[in-house]
Amino acid sequence: KPADYMVPQMVDDFLSSTALPKGQRSCDDIRKWGLRFADHFKGAPAIIFEDKGARGEMNTWRALWKHSPKQHDMAGTHAVRILNWAVEEGKLSEHHCHKLHRLYEVDRSEIVWKSGDQEAIDAIAPEWVRRILCVACETGLRPGDLIKLTTGHVENTPLGRRLRVRTNKRKRLAHIPITPTLAKVIDETEPGKLLILTNASGDQLTEHRASEGLRQWRDKAKLSRDLRLQDTRGTAATRLLNAGLSLSEIANHMGWSIRHAAN
């Protein structure tokens, strides 16, 4: 009977399905919010979401995080993802939680690392931090791809060297030209070391440590607190534009749509 299929069971079924993304961080986020969703509605059958009134119940739950717009929106995003899966799997006939209103709005497209910012970091930061910022700005790779970059990704071509990387998020193959600045970092990698970027001890970085390390030295250099490691993607795209690449070439390099590259 549909009324016997409770919300916690629906969440458990989703978390045990093949619908989960491959990325560990994404899986952890979905699991965290899915369990919160299940705990809040633990006494309710899943079929309540076929009723229009359930949209208000969903918004009441999300409002528990109204002090944090990003978490407020994330709660709804992951709950709706579970409901969409339930409809696709025939667990529910429909739900009424599509296009929930969002509180968090951000446009970071104009935030880029300028040459003066990078020089300020280079003047005071240790080598491992300088290397992170340099490689990030030259390649435009996400932090999750940066920390896995190895000398094995370097590929020789008739026109010079390039990096051949399958991106972690979208699993797309990116071919990134190695600029003279990037070549210097790669060639100065300690002999016998596979990883191009490491932490202060020479061990493998985590995404958090890479971002946090750069943030700490950004603050010591008294640079804008808006600057983050993630903003190096926009920085790389801006440099490609200044180097004379077309929008289609930039979009292909960054894994973007042409419209997104234009914006």
Side-chain angles (χ1 to χ4, degrees):
K1 295 179 181 179
D4 292 336
Y5 189 62
M6 307 299 282
V7 171
Q9 181 61 52
M10 176 178 68
V11 173
D12 284 344
D13 288 347
F14 171 80
L15 295 176
S16 301
S17 73
T18 57
L20 289 179
K22 291 183 173 62
Q24 186 60 47
R25 184 175 177 179
S26 297
C27 278
D28 291 344
D29 283 343
I30 292 174
R31 188 174 299 279
K32 177 179 73 174
W33 288 102
L35 293 177
R36 287 177 176 177
F37 177 57
D39 183 63
H40 184 80
F41 291 96
K42 60 186 176 185
I47 201 171
I48 66 166
F49 291 100
E50 293 183 2
D51 186 89
K52 290 183 179 179
R55 187 181 183 93
E57 296 287 342
M58 177 72 80
N59 285 330
T60 299
W61 173 63
R62 295 198 303 152
L64 295 174
W65 292 277
K66 62 185 178 183
H67 61 280
S68 173
K70 196 170 185 179
Q71 290 192 80
H72 170 276
D73 293 352
M74 198 173 292
T77 296
H78 293 310
V80 169
R81 184 170 190 165
I82 293 170
L83 293 176
N84 288 341
W85 169 85
V87 172
E88 290 174 2
E89 295 294 315
K91 311 286 187 182
L92 298 175
S93 60
E94 61 177 341
H95 74 81
H96 296 276
C97 297
H98 298 289
K99 297 182 179 178
L100 297 171
H101 74 275
R102 303 178 71 83
L103 298 182
Y104 184 72
E105 293 183 10
V106 63
D107 180 5
R108 304 186 62 82
S109 60
E110 294 184 5
I111 301 176
V112 296
W113 288 81
K114 299 175 183 176
S115 57
D117 299 326
Q118 194 165 349
E119 289 169 3
I121 293 289
D122 289 345
I124 63 170
E127 184 184 6
W128 70 275
V129 174
R130 299 199 305 267
R131 288 171 66 90
I132 290 173
L133 181 57
C134 176
V135 175
C137 288
E138 293 295 318
T139 64
L141 289 171
R142 294 181 179 88
D145 295 317
L146 285 172
I147 63 172
K148 297 177 181 177
L149 205 57
T150 71
T151 51
H153 288 114
V154 178
E155 189 174 73
N156 291 311
T157 78
L159 297 178
R161 291 186 296 173
R162 68 182 181 187
L163 293 172
R164 187 175 187 271
V165 182
R166 188 168 295 280
T167 59
N168 187 51
K169 184 173 182 179
R170 304 192 187 283
K171 309 304 179 185
R172 291 177 177 170
L173 201 58
H175 294 97
I176 305 168
I178 294 179
T179 62
T181 304
L182 180 57
K184 188 172 184 294
V185 173
I186 293 173
D187 294 340
E188 289 177 353
T189 300
E190 188 179 333
K193 285 279 188 182
L194 191 62
L195 289 168
I196 293 174
L197 301 176
T198 62
N199 60 21
S201 304
D203 299 321
Q204 184 164 12
L205 278 164
T206 62
E207 291 183 51
H208 175 74
R209 186 64 191 124
S211 298
E212 188 66 11
L214 183 58
R215 184 197 65 76
Q216 289 171 346
W217 288 96
R218 175 207 67 190
D219 291 347
K220 290 179 181 179
K222 294 181 169 54
L223 299 176
S224 169
R225 289 180 175 269
D226 284 334
L227 288 170
R228 302 175 188 171
L229 179 58
Q230 289 84 347
D231 297 315
T232 55
R233 276 179 69 71
T235 303
T238 302
R239 291 184 177 186
L240 293 174
L241 181 67
N242 292 339
L245 273 72
S246 68
L247 284 180
S248 60
E249 289 172 324
I250 294 172
N252 184 56
H253 178 101
M254 302 297 297
W256 291 341
S257 67
I258 292 180
R259 174 179 290 185
H260 184 75
N263 290 337

